[in-house]
Amino acid sequence: RTTMLGFDVMGIWPNGALTSDLNSLDRSKSQEFCVTADNFGLVKLFNYPCVHDDAPWKEYYGGASFMMCTRFSCDDRRVAAVGGGDRTTFVYLTHGVNRQDSQKERRKEVGWCDV
């Protein structure tokens, strides 16, 4: 699933978001998670399906510019993210989303990759 519109992904949209704010969505092959790229340089990992407003997510800064595309690897262990203006490429190791994460904790996290 790479379509950003639909009941099963309605929770990925922040309040007041424009349809142009999100650039990419990919669902994991296991259908447990989905990942988005947006115009604010963020890569967000959600549980799938993501049907609740303000659904829990983990967000990570991908680059100095907007993020253009995100894709899970064939085994769901990694996410590749490609930046727009700065032409960066990141590969993250995935660890999932904990439903009990508070919004404050989500914003405190710096990264979810092992280099």
Side-chain angles (χ1 to χ4, degrees):
R1 176 167 192 28
T2 57
T3 306
M4 293 182 287
L5 300 175
F7 178 76
D8 56 338
V9 292
M10 68 182 192
I12 67 171
W13 294 94
N15 292 335
L18 302 174
T19 56
S20 61
D21 286 343
L22 290 179
N23 298 322
S24 175
L25 173 126
D26 193 33
R27 180 186 65 197
S28 64
K29 309 317 181 256
S30 66
Q31 299 187 18
E32 291 184 63
F33 305 107
C34 63
V35 65
T36 63
D38 66 25
N39 280 343
F40 310 106
L42 297 175
V43 174
K44 291 183 179 179
L45 181 69
F46 296 88
N47 287 314
Y48 181 86
C50 185
V51 296
H52 300 286
D53 287 338
D54 200 27
W57 76 88
K58 290 190 176 186
E59 69 181 30
Y60 307 95
Y61 292 95
S65 183
F66 56 95
M67 298 304 290
M68 283 302 299
C69 189
T70 54
R71 291 292 182 262
F72 279 95
S73 63
C74 61
D75 62 0
D76 290 340
R77 294 183 58 205
R78 290 177 175 77
V79 170
V82 178
D86 56 3
R87 299 180 180 146
T88 56
T89 302
F90 294 91
V91 178
Y92 301 97
L93 291 179
T94 59
H95 299 290
V97 174
N98 182 347
R99 291 184 187 272
Q100 285 76 36
D101 283 350
S102 70
Q103 189 169 7
K104 181 189 281 187
E105 289 171 336
R106 285 193 301 244
R107 297 197 188 284
K108 279 182 166 180
E109 292 188 33
V110 178
W112 54 306
C113 62
D114 297 330
V115 180

